[in-house]
Amino acid sequence: MTQLYEPIPLITSTNSVNEVHLLIGTGEDSCSQTIRKAKSILKSGASPIIINPTSQSHYKKLSIEFAHDPNFKLLNRPFQLSDLTQLGRKLVSNIVDRVFINLPPNDTLLARDIHNQCIKLRIPINTFQRPEYSTFTMLPTYIDPKGSGLQISVTTNGRGYILANRIKREIVNNLPSNISEIVTNMGQLRDQIINEDHKILLNEKFFSTELSINKLGYGLDNDSWESHKFNKLIKEFEMTSKDQKLKRTRWLSQIMEYYPLSKLADITIDQLSDTMASGTTNINTNKKVTKTPTDDDDFASIPSKQQKLSPSPSSGEKVQIQLQEKETTTKSKGSISLVGAGPGSISMLTIGALHEIKTADLILTDKLVPQAVLDLIPPETETFIARKFPGNAEHAQQELLQMGLTALQNDKKVVRLKQGDPYIFGRGGEEFLFFQENGFEPIVLPGLSSSLASTVVSKIPATQRAIADQVLICTGTGRKGSLPVIPEFVRTRTTVFLMALHRSEELIDNLIKNGWDGDVPAAIVERASCPDQRVTRTKLKYVPQVIEEIGSRPPGLLVVGNAVNALIRNEYLNSLDSSSSTSKYYMEEGYKAFEINDLSKLF
Ligand code: SAH
């Protein structure tokens, strides 16, 4: 087989329960390395057999160390090739499941013979410091000492174990301190949901033939889930019974993807159910959310606008309600601001937004507002993240507005923090009207919209002489999930589609049917300005195929137009049409252009 590029080994996590692993030789110096290896083999549920220890002292050490472990075997004799086919489990015709060689360097010949035999028998083999005689390598691995199940392994693929180990430590040091609790909690919720909701679905006769647990998993159950379908449209008021039953599954997968990592330890099963009153999440976990009588979670029973102002209006009291409205406006010291928080990086937050974050009594935020911005909220400030998940958007919106209104009536300073700019596809206008009609006119602070910031951070000049002389910002998802009105194709225009990636196939089909050039450059920009930003350049016609291949990393948007490649000199871009699929796109990851580490220096 000809190699087009340097091979990248597959990393797997192997189920080794009941396997037999053969360790040949115990190395030169102390046998501590062999002891560590045997211990991890035992922990994995396999049985190690050590054969041919290098010295009598190694033999003694090992006998003492594992004296009481019935799954451990030590054979003090030279190795024979026939051991490979005799010491294993009956189930696999006595062939051992895995081989580790650590023989003195002068035994190269034997190592080569064992390697060759293992290849023939398809036994995975690792030879100490001899990659040419190995089919797998052990990676430096962090195992969560608190037993959550989290493991982190790093490889540099032959560029140094020490370096990989150092990188691993760096990653581990940067994890939130409650990472074990996060993994444990998410694992328990996942298990509970799978047991309660999925099993019910599978038991329903008409589903059982076409569905498996994995298909229901929304990424909860395996890692080959189709992340590009992650934000699939669910019609909130027309959910099928299957959609209803998968609601908690969908919410949990969305929470895992969007919520600040460190807060995942505190999510409870009740917060995944819409029967829970005041179901938004207080991300400042040291604070308790107090439930007020108006915090009614049942969408149908949320009172109408006028009712909300009156503590206990009786029917037909219109005049009185209006009077109360006036009174509330003059009396209440409550204030509300709708604040744009920018696309992600705190370098793109306005000073006005920062001021509002620091002086609020209550912050109502969207799930898209990223961690770096949320981290600026003082710990004592009550904060809620909207539960806007597919199938719950309307409900969550009502819930949030109601919560804001109640706080305003209690003289609080409420800050409604919104991703990007409040008026660009952010329902800012609707929220403005809601609060205004209820007697509290919001101050609105603009934010840097992801639609324009995304172009800048992905090296796209939205306008550029002779290339693009206009910009259009539009949505890929119209009202109630319909397709939006398709704009005309203008060759000198840069078009930004928000909320479009999860339904790119349908959208691009329609664009092309309506005269758009399928060969025009397109960029998929995800998590713009966040550390895990990803920019994927391709052509418009390939976008759905590329998204299917690379999966999704929400939130993301699509930029289309010749400006996409205006600043890029790259050989890949010229070969996007070749038949091999890897050359249909060109990807760049990470955002490091500008970071502010110490805000205090600014003032
Ligand atoms: N008011 C926001 C947009 C809200 S609509 C603004 O002005 O940015 C939500 C959509 O915005 C997402 O579906 C995605 O298309 C886009 N979006 C928001 N933040 C983004 C980011 N950091 N990177 C890429 N797209 C983003």
Side-chain angles (χ1 to χ4, degrees):
M1 210 170 75
T2 46
Q3 292 292 346
L4 294 174
Y5 43 85
E6 191 185 352
I8 303 167
L10 279 180
I11 300 184
T12 61
S13 140
T14 314
N15 176 357
S16 298
V17 175
N18 295 332
E19 286 188 355
V20 173
H21 293 185
L22 190 59
L23 289 81
I24 306 167
T26 53
E28 280 191 299
D29 308 327
S30 77
C31 62
S32 54
Q33 219 216 3
T34 309
I35 292 178
R36 275 203 304 275
K37 198 160 280 171
K39 281 187 177 166
S40 29
I41 292 171
L42 283 165
K43 269 196 196 144
S44 78
S47 304
I49 301 179
I50 298 181
I51 192 164
N52 195 17
T54 309
S55 62
Q56 207 49 36
S57 80
H58 280 194
Y59 176 76
K60 260 201 195 136
K61 242 190 196 166
L62 288 164
S63 319
I64 297 167
E65 184 73 44
F66 296 101
H68 303 296
D69 203 318
N71 295 323
F72 175 86
K73 225 188 243 169
L74 181 59
L75 302 176
N76 198 10
R77 62 162 173 80
F79 166 82
Q80 304 151 12
L81 279 182
S82 59
D83 289 331
L84 296 177
T85 49
Q86 285 175 4
L87 296 177
R89 304 175 279 164
K90 265 211 186 94
L91 181 72
V92 286
S93 312
N94 304 322
I95 299 174
V96 297
D97 296 289
R98 197 167 282 266
V99 166
F100 297 86
I101 306 182
N102 193 355
L103 291 164
N106 51 359
D107 262 343
T108 311
L109 220 56
L110 182 57
R112 199 184 61 196
D113 289 347
I114 302 173
H115 171 259
N116 291 347
Q117 191 63 13
C118 283
I119 297 285
K120 273 191 201 141
L121 293 166
R122 295 180 178 76
I123 304 171
I125 176 170
N126 170 268
T127 305
F128 183 63
Q129 291 190 341
R130 300 304 295 260
E132 70 276 30
Y133 297 144
S134 302
T135 60
F136 73 94
T137 44
M138 297 295 281
L139 306 181
T141 300
Y142 165 82
I143 301 176
D144 179 6
K146 291 189 188 159
S148 71
L150 174 70
Q151 292 190 62
I152 296 174
S153 301
V154 173
T155 174
T156 54
N157 284 323
R159 287 163 181 88
Y161 186 94
I162 298 177
L163 177 63
N165 202 22
R166 170 72 205 280
I167 295 172
K168 179 204 75 185
R169 284 207 311 274
E170 205 71 23
I171 295 171
V172 171
N173 286 340
N174 281 301
L175 290 171
S177 57
N178 62 343
I179 191 70
S180 310
E181 290 76 20
I182 291 169
V183 177
T184 306
N185 189 36
M186 287 292 114
Q188 281 166 355
L189 291 181
R190 169 197 163 280
D191 286 351
Q192 188 173 347
I193 287 174
I194 286 177
N195 276 327
E196 290 172 8
D197 303 354
H198 294 196
K199 296 248 160 85
I200 295 174
L201 259 179
L202 287 176
N203 285 340
E204 284 177 15
K205 249 204 308 201
F206 66 105
F207 284 131
S208 58
T209 47
E210 44 164 324
L211 288 178
S212 68
I213 287 251
N214 279 347
K215 279 198 182 147
L216 297 175
Y218 277 89
L220 295 186
D221 224 33
N222 67 17
D223 59 4
S224 57
W225 68 296
E226 300 182 283
S227 66
H228 61 287
K229 293 186 186 156
F230 182 60
N231 277 327
K232 167 171 155 307
L233 180 80
I234 303 287
K235 296 200 170 140
E236 185 164 342
F237 302 106
E238 300 160 32
M239 275 195 245
T240 62
S241 82
K242 182 181 141 205
D243 281 341
Q244 281 286 358
K245 294 204 177 79
L246 286 176
K247 215 162 159 182
R248 298 198 299 181
T249 307
R250 261 194 325 267
W251 290 7
L252 183 61
S253 54
Q254 291 259 334
I255 280 174
M256 287 200 236
E257 182 74 40
Y258 286 112
Y259 268 44
L261 189 57
S262 61
K263 311 299 178 199
L264 295 183
D266 305 302
I267 305 287
T268 64
I269 195 80
D270 292 334
Q271 287 165 331
L272 298 175
S273 116
D274 58 355
T275 53
M276 174 72 179
S278 180
T280 42
T281 302
N282 186 351
I283 62 161
N284 285 337
T285 51
N286 50 354
K287 274 217 112 189
K288 276 268 166 300
V289 186
T290 36
K291 208 184 122 194
T292 65
T294 44
D295 279 345
D296 194 330
D297 190 71
D298 182 353
F299 181 63
S301 70
I302 284 180
S304 72
K305 274 180 207 156
Q306 273 133 343
Q307 281 175 319
K308 279 178 210 156
L309 276 178
S310 162
S312 55
S314 56
S315 59
E317 283 183 326
K318 260 201 172 153
V319 181
Q320 204 193 335
I321 289 166
Q322 274 162 9
L323 283 176
Q324 277 178 349
E325 196 168 294
K326 279 231 167 70
E327 240 174 57
T328 317
T329 320
T330 45
K331 261 195 200 160
S332 171
K333 289 195 213 82
S335 70
I336 167 103
S337 51
L338 304 183
V339 177
S345 164
I346 53 170
S347 68
M348 297 178 197
L349 201 65
T350 65
I351 291 176
L354 188 61
H355 175 267
E356 291 303 281
I357 289 171
K358 294 290 184 192
T359 55
D361 294 317
L362 169 67
I363 296 187
L364 303 172
T365 172
D366 290 337
K367 70 175 191 214
L368 285 184
V369 175
Q371 179 77 52
V373 174
L374 296 180
D375 283 347
L376 297 171
I377 300 174
E380 65 281 2
T381 308
E382 242 180 81
T383 309
F384 296 91
I385 306 179
R387 296 193 308 167
K388 270 195 201 164
F389 304 126
N392 192 49
E394 292 304 328
H395 186 174
Q397 180 72 7
Q398 293 301 326
E399 205 172 36
L400 212 71
L401 292 178
Q402 187 54 44
M403 202 173 271
L405 195 54
T406 306
L408 284 171
Q409 286 160 348
N410 289 319
D411 295 340
K412 295 274 166 49
K413 172 168 180 169
V414 180
V415 171
R416 174 78 177 98
L417 204 55
K418 301 178 76 66
Q419 168 85 343
D421 183 274
Y423 286 165
I424 300 289
F425 298 112
R427 292 198 183 208
E430 286 167 42
E431 292 180 10
F432 181 93
L433 288 175
F434 172 85
F435 288 112
Q436 189 193 46
E437 279 165 19
N438 281 295
F440 297 91
E441 179 153 327
I443 297 167
V444 185
L445 296 187
L448 197 49
S449 174
S450 65
S451 50
L452 289 179
S454 289
T455 58
V456 178
V457 299
S458 47
K459 294 198 204 102
I460 301 171
T463 68
Q464 164 117 327
R465 238 165 2 125
I467 295 178
D469 57 11
Q470 46 186 282
V471 183
L472 175 68
I473 299 168
C474 51
T475 174
T477 308
R479 271 195 79 88
K480 292 198 170 160
S482 61
L483 265 182
V485 174
I486 300 289
E488 63 169 332
F489 177 62
V490 178
R491 203 162 281 283
T492 58
R493 180 187 278 171
T494 304
T495 309
V496 184
F497 291 95
L498 282 80
M499 297 178 280
L501 298 182
H502 60 287
R503 55 126 44 124
S504 64
E505 201 168 334
E506 199 183 353
L507 176 68
I508 282 147
D509 247 21
N510 270 279
L511 292 178
I512 291 177
K513 269 188 204 137
N514 280 277
W516 283 60
D517 178 0
D519 285 316
V520 76
I524 300 156
V525 187
E526 296 168 289
R527 301 192 60 76
S529 84
C530 300
D532 51 351
Q533 167 180 308
R534 182 167 74 165
V535 180
T536 311
R537 287 180 156 80
T538 180
K539 293 184 172 183
L540 183 64
K541 63 183 176 191
Y542 295 142
V543 166
Q545 180 188 342
V546 170
I547 291 178
E548 195 165 325
E549 198 174 317
I550 65 173
S552 93
R553 194 180 286 186
L557 50 75
L558 184 68
V559 187
V560 185
N562 286 314
V564 165
N565 293 343
L567 306 184
I568 304 289
R569 303 266 167 273
N570 196 295
E571 57 198 273
Y572 288 104
L573 294 173
N574 302 326
S575 61
L576 286 178
D577 262 326
S578 81
S579 56
S580 126
S581 72
T582 45
S583 60
K584 293 248 185 323
Y585 62 86
Y586 172 65
M587 185 189 278
E588 286 172 299
E589 293 203 51
Y591 174 73
K592 292 197 188 71
F594 190 84
E595 278 171 19
I596 299 180
N597 296 322
D598 187 2
L599 280 177
S600 63
K601 285 201 186 121
L602 293 179
F603 301 101

